[in-house]
Amino acid sequence: GTNWSEVNDLVNGQDHLRSAGGSSNSALSFGGIVYPSTYGKTEEWNGTNWSEVNDMINDGYKGGGSGESTEAAIAAGDHLRNTCTEIWNGTNWSAAAAMSLGRCYATLSGTTNDAIIHSGTTTVSHPAATTSTEAWNGTSWSTTATGISWEYGGPRLRVSMGDAGSGTGGAV
């Protein structure tokens, strides 16, 4: 499309949501906060309306979210810098292997079988940025090379996507 247009609103208005899916006809929104309460709400978009579906296991916001469709999504980390990971199968969330480093405001991208999370903050009272990167292989997280390097002119991000953690694939 070429223009934005108003469509139907979410069932639950919230801040700091996570999302998955990849089209204007199919999307997933999950987690979030309506101050001061956190939520684990999950809503599914069918191209016309949002509908509430099963909630996440852990309420949270400011975590990473990604996924290839409304049938497969991954959530990791949250506002409390937890190491929690959850997988959405189109009906329910299930707990998965924890990350080695708890974080929020991190960038999570990829699929439920091949994802990468990097950066974020690691402390609650005084946010401390991290350059840590972890790769998800569908079963567990593994620490990979640091994703941020400083060069003349500012930070440069190098992310390897391919076989998670193997270092094969392209760099961004």
Side-chain angles (χ1 to χ4, degrees):
T2 57
N3 298 311
W4 290 98
S5 60
E6 175 68 21
V7 295
N8 291 318
D9 294 339
L10 287 161
V11 176
N12 301 288
Q14 301 169 73
D15 282 341
H16 302 291
L17 297 168
R18 309 173 207 198
S19 63
S23 79
S24 60
N25 294 315
S26 177
L28 202 64
S29 174
F30 45 98
I33 185 170
V34 176
Y35 293 99
S37 300
T38 60
Y39 292 101
K41 304 276 186 210
T42 303
E43 296 187 33
E44 185 173 348
W45 174 255
N46 66 9
T48 303
N49 294 302
W50 289 98
S51 58
E52 190 170 342
V53 292
N54 290 324
D55 291 350
M56 299 178 74
I57 298 166
N58 299 295
D59 293 350
Y61 62 101
K62 297 181 184 175
S66 188
E68 54 267 49
S69 71
T70 57
E71 303 299 314
I74 182 172
D78 66 17
H79 65 292
L80 297 174
R81 283 62 171 183
N82 286 325
T83 58
C84 56
T85 301
E86 294 183 36
I87 302 292
W88 173 256
N89 66 8
T91 304
N92 293 303
W93 290 96
S94 61
M99 296 181 295
S100 63
L101 179 66
R103 63 181 91 207
C104 79
Y105 293 118
T107 299
L108 174 63
S109 59
T111 70
T112 54
N113 291 310
D114 185 17
I116 193 165
I117 191 166
H118 63 85
S119 307
T121 61
T122 58
T123 60
V124 176
S125 59
H126 300 285
T130 181
T131 60
S132 172
T133 302
E134 295 182 55
W136 173 257
N137 65 10
T139 305
S140 62
W141 293 98
S142 61
T143 303
T144 64
T146 299
I148 304 293
S149 64
W150 288 91
E151 299 174 3
Y152 180 77
R156 302 284 187 243
L157 173 63
R158 289 177 179 35
V159 178
S160 175
M161 293 296 290
D163 184 1
S166 72
T168 63
V172 176

